Amino acid sequence: MRLAGVGAILDRRLRPESRRPVAVAFSGGGDSLALLLAADAWAEAAGRDLLVLTVDHRLQPDSGAWAEACAAIAERLGVAFQALAWTAEKPTTGLPAAARAARHRLLADAARAAGASVILMGHTADDILEARLMRTRGSTTPEPREWSPSPVWPEGRGVFLLRPLLGLRRAGIRDWLTTRGEGWIDDPANESPLSRRAQARRQIAGGGMGPGETAESASAEALARVCRQD
């Protein structure tokens, strides 16, 4: 797998004359690491600055160490880094949605403060499939799109989200990272049997998409629909 298509999307979506920094939401996971590496190569060629933003949700005992690992990768690449923390009291119900909203607020605030109007996010084709499955089970998880406004207000005013990996599958991304000798963080929450996202992820991995539908065919259909919407 090659990530050359990511640079083409960045060229298409971002104004070449702009000197604003481009923010990258970086969790340290495989998807966001691939995004950061591709964005770094693009930014060097385009003469743009990157700002790496890592959100520590304070939900895992190792989250502080994960943020430090993200900072080390940004330092290795020579790009600016900022750690953000969700310090508010955590709700007893609706935690995934609350964490998602908090992440978007923190990212939008930091991007605007730095003069960035675009945040790159590492959602993939698998995230589209997972969101669709989760909604059939009552979740309110939105389906990621390539280009969209920040979903929070007023923090997200004037801030847009760009997801250039939506045409790629997660397994291929990890294969690409492995060939480069890169390692990434695996959040144990992604494997929790109580997590709707983890349940959807396991179903997709097992090919259980529905009668006569495979993960690959569902991915193609989902991606075609996204392209029509954009």
Side-chain angles (χ1 to χ4, degrees):
M1 187 197 76
R2 298 183 63 187
L3 296 188
V6 175
I9 292 173
L10 297 178
D11 284 336
R12 173 166 53 84
R13 287 292 189 179
L14 302 179
R15 293 180 299 174
E17 73 278 6
S18 176
R19 294 300 93 190
R20 289 174 176 265
V22 177
V24 182
F26 182 48
S27 68
D31 301 340
S32 66
L33 175 57
L35 172 64
L36 176 56
L37 294 174
D40 180 58
W42 173 85
E44 184 174 354
R48 298 286 294 271
D49 292 330
L50 293 184
L51 170 62
V52 177
L53 301 174
T54 293
V55 176
D56 179 357
H57 292 89
R58 305 276 174 94
L59 295 174
Q60 295 287 343
D62 293 329
S63 64
W66 294 344
E68 292 177 2
C70 290
I73 292 174
E75 183 178 8
R76 185 188 91 195
L77 297 176
V79 295
F81 174 83
Q82 186 175 351
L84 312 169
W86 184 28
T87 57
E89 183 177 353
K90 308 304 186 283
T92 56
T93 60
L95 182 59
R100 184 169 61 247
R103 178 170 65 252
H104 280 297
R105 286 195 298 270
L106 289 165
L107 291 172
D109 272 339
R112 291 181 66 252
S117 60
V118 177
I119 303 173
L120 306 184
M121 305 194 77
H123 295 88
T124 70
D126 290 77
D127 289 290
I128 295 175
L129 300 176
E130 291 163 11
R132 294 175 67 197
L133 280 177
M134 290 166 67
R135 287 200 302 277
T136 67
R137 300 168 181 171
S139 173
T140 59
T141 301
E143 185 170 308
R145 300 181 61 188
E146 182 181 287
W147 181 260
S148 62
S150 170
V152 291
W153 189 265
E155 297 90 346
R157 61 189 184 279
V159 176
F160 290 85
L161 309 181
L162 177 56
R163 302 176 174 94
L165 301 185
L166 282 184
L168 303 174
R169 295 301 302 268
R170 185 173 293 126
I173 288 172
R174 278 153 175 70
D175 288 344
W176 180 81
L177 289 170
T178 299
T179 62
R180 294 172 59 95
E182 297 284 353
W184 57 88
I185 295 167
D186 284 316
D187 187 341
N190 291 331
E191 302 300 327
S192 169
L194 300 179
S195 164
R196 285 179 173 174
R197 181 170 294 280
Q199 293 167 8
R201 187 168 296 182
R202 285 194 297 273
Q203 184 174 348
I204 292 168
M209 299 301 300
E213 185 180 36
T214 66
E216 291 297 337
S217 65
S219 175
E221 190 279 332
L223 291 172
R225 184 155 61 87
V226 170
C227 290
R228 289 196 295 272
Q229 290 175 344
D230 285 339

